[in-house]
Amino acid sequence: MQLRYSFRLYPDTSQQRALARAFGCARVVFNDAVRAREEARTAKQPFPRAAELSKRLITEAKQTVERSWLGEVSAVVLQQSLRDVETAYRNFFASLKGDRRGPKLGVPRFKSRKDARQSIRFTSNARWKITGGRLDLPKIGAVKVKWSRPLPTTPTSVPVVKDAAGRYFASFVIDTDPAADATRMPGTDQNIGIDLGLTHFAVLSDGTKIDSPRFLRRAEKKLKKAQQELSRKQKGSKNRAKARLKIARAHAKVTDARKEFHHQLSTRLISENQGIAVESLSVAGLARTRLAKSVHDAGWSSFISMLEYKAARYGRTLVTIGRFEPTSQTCSTCGVKDGPKPLNIREWTCAACGAVHDRDTNAAINIKTAAGLAVSACGAPVGPEPVLAQRAETGSHGFPTGNRAA
């Protein structure tokens, strides 16, 4: 299992220029490889192989006047850019065949120097090293790093990223053993169902309600003012570039706060529960409604992804049930389906058994029951607990109560 440990970098002025040069060279090689592939497709010829592209676009290009500056950066960065093209086309063809999960992917496109995010990747062949608390990168120098935690093992590769807010990050790729990680988190016999929402970010089957922080909503006033300032700046001016950077930094703060909230909550749920049940959500569909901004602000997909990899890492069980399961329509006490209810109904009384339910808590209990939670803390199968039949349910289907079939 591979994990990424991201740390903030603080390059000086000369190192920023060297990184900008590396970003540009990697981008040029990527675009040249995409162009070579497209030209071969237009001419109805076989796609050039990676070795041929490496020889033509890197080795031979360095000898020309037009591409001589490719020699100013590490060759590993350029080779990794070619591998990125190979991966992009491989994923594109797998998506066309239906062999890849997720939405359909488009054909790889050219990268622009105006892209908000730039990145390069150094592998072990680049001979980078960590010396004196700094990250020493070839042809860039020893860059200052803000170490927030120690690395558990030696990284296999180091992508360096510059985001839209102008910040630099080193993302160390670490190979971990899930079996060893599972021993660091003791087992528990607790299981939980989670109902995700907007009023409350999550409602647990034990009745706990976790409020939605609404990070984007809280920052809207500040973002609106920054957007207005940007609209008054002349296009192409330095002041407009500064205003754009100000907006990007404001959005970065919102993103970082949301990610920190997701990490803390997912870690807490994983540590306290052996089995976790959630409901699959059509985020793309909900994003086309009037609740789109609130849906994106909640970040459900990101949160569930964190639960998935943390459950796999620490030996927990995560079960996802279908979103068409009538969790909000079924009484968690007697199991009778009471029919759909509008969203403004937050509390209802079961017509069959008279139990009073909080809509979200009832849904969380039904999610836990429907999931079955696959395995318990001791590894035995777990199924929904049997419920006594109510008076209205007695008798065989198709016969009125009191006229049971013999």
Side-chain angles (χ1 to χ4, degrees):
M1 183 177 182
Q2 287 190 330
L3 296 176
R4 291 186 181 272
Y5 284 71
S6 184
F7 300 91
R8 182 79 179 270
L9 297 180
Y10 294 91
D12 56 31
T13 304
S14 62
Q15 292 169 347
Q16 290 182 19
R17 287 197 294 264
L19 285 170
R21 189 182 306 115
F23 292 144
C25 291
R27 183 176 61 249
V28 167
V29 171
F30 183 95
N31 291 343
D32 288 345
V34 172
R35 186 178 296 106
R37 287 289 189 99
E38 288 302 306
E39 290 175 352
R41 183 186 64 83
T42 304
K44 298 183 179 179
Q45 296 178 352
F47 279 176
R49 297 181 179 274
E52 179 185 347
L53 289 175
S54 177
K55 180 181 178 182
R56 190 204 318 174
L57 302 181
I58 299 178
T59 306
E60 295 179 354
K62 288 180 181 179
Q63 310 303 322
T64 64
V65 177
E66 295 81 5
R67 293 284 193 268
S68 59
W69 34 264
L70 290 177
E72 299 177 4
V73 302
S74 172
V76 173
V77 170
L78 306 181
Q79 293 290 348
Q80 292 303 312
S81 190
L82 287 181
R83 288 189 174 89
D84 290 342
V85 176
E86 291 292 322
T87 302
Y89 273 99
R90 192 182 305 116
N91 292 338
F92 168 62
F93 289 126
S95 179
L96 287 180
K97 296 177 182 177
D99 298 335
R100 188 179 186 275
R101 294 178 58 187
K104 291 287 186 180
L105 296 180
V107 66
R109 298 179 297 178
F110 296 118
K111 290 185 176 181
S112 171
R113 63 183 179 85
K114 296 182 180 180
D115 287 345
R117 185 179 183 275
Q118 303 284 342
S119 65
I120 53 177
R121 187 165 69 255
F122 295 90
T123 60
S124 56
N125 296 334
R127 298 177 182 175
W128 58 269
K129 56 183 180 291
I130 299 174
T131 56
R134 290 176 175 256
L135 178 61
D136 195 352
L137 299 173
K139 296 192 177 183
I140 293 175
V143 184
K144 181 181 177 181
V145 185
K146 179 66 174 180
W147 300 104
S148 57
R149 52 186 169 172
L151 291 172
T153 58
T154 302
T156 57
S157 65
V158 184
V160 177
V161 179
K162 180 183 178 183
D163 66 4
R167 303 177 300 177
Y168 295 86
F169 294 91
S171 182
F172 295 91
V173 180
I174 305 291
D175 288 321
T176 62
D177 183 8
D181 290 332
T183 60
R184 298 188 306 175
M185 189 171 286
T188 175
D189 59 354
Q190 298 294 322
N191 299 308
I192 204 75
I194 306 175
D195 179 56
L196 299 175
L198 296 178
T199 304
H200 294 93
F201 177 79
V203 177
L204 309 184
S205 55
D206 61 3
T208 304
K209 294 187 176 182
I210 301 168
D211 291 334
S212 180
R214 301 182 179 181
F215 296 106
L216 180 61
R217 293 290 187 181
R218 284 157 46 187
E220 276 186 327
K221 186 175 181 181
K222 182 178 180 180
L223 287 170
K224 178 182 178 181
K225 183 178 179 180
Q227 290 282 6
Q228 289 174 341
E229 292 177 356
L230 175 65
S231 65
R232 300 188 187 103
K233 300 297 186 289
Q234 184 178 355
K235 290 186 177 181
S237 66
K238 291 185 178 181
N239 285 336
R240 185 178 179 87
K242 292 178 182 178
R244 185 208 63 79
L245 192 60
K246 183 178 179 180
I247 294 174
R249 287 173 177 168
H251 278 289
K253 287 183 180 180
V254 173
T255 302
D256 292 344
R258 184 188 298 115
K259 188 181 297 184
E260 180 68 14
F261 169 73
H262 288 166
H263 269 299
Q264 291 183 0
L265 179 58
S266 59
T267 299
R268 188 187 105 193
L269 293 174
I270 289 293
S271 62
E272 295 177 353
N273 302 280
Q274 186 68 29
I276 298 176
V278 295
E279 185 179 18
S280 64
L281 299 170
S282 177
V283 177
L286 291 171
R288 291 193 292 267
T289 67
R290 61 185 178 86
L291 301 174
K293 185 180 291 187
S294 297
V295 169
H296 287 305
D297 193 13
W300 294 325
S301 296
S302 174
F303 175 70
I304 293 177
S305 297
M306 289 183 184
L307 286 177
E308 288 177 349
Y309 88 78
K310 290 180 182 180
R313 183 183 183 188
Y314 295 111
R316 300 313 203 220
T317 300
L318 179 68
V319 183
T320 304
I321 69 169
R323 61 179 177 269
F324 298 110
E325 190 75 23
T327 56
S328 297
Q329 305 176 24
T330 306
C331 174
S332 59
T333 302
C334 65
V336 172
K337 186 177 178 181
D338 205 21
K341 303 165 186 64
L343 288 176
N344 64 327
I345 302 299
R346 310 313 303 173
E347 189 176 280
W348 57 281
T349 303
C350 177
C353 66
V356 180
H357 296 295
D358 177 272
R359 181 192 183 105
D360 298 328
T361 304
N362 177 75
I365 296 173
N366 286 330
I367 289 173
K368 176 183 175 181
T369 304
L373 293 180
V375 293
S376 65
C378 61
V382 175
E385 297 181 357
V387 180
L388 293 176
Q390 303 300 313
R391 181 176 299 275
E393 294 179 303
T394 57
S396 301
H397 294 291
F399 294 90
T401 302
N403 296 320
R404 299 176 61 183

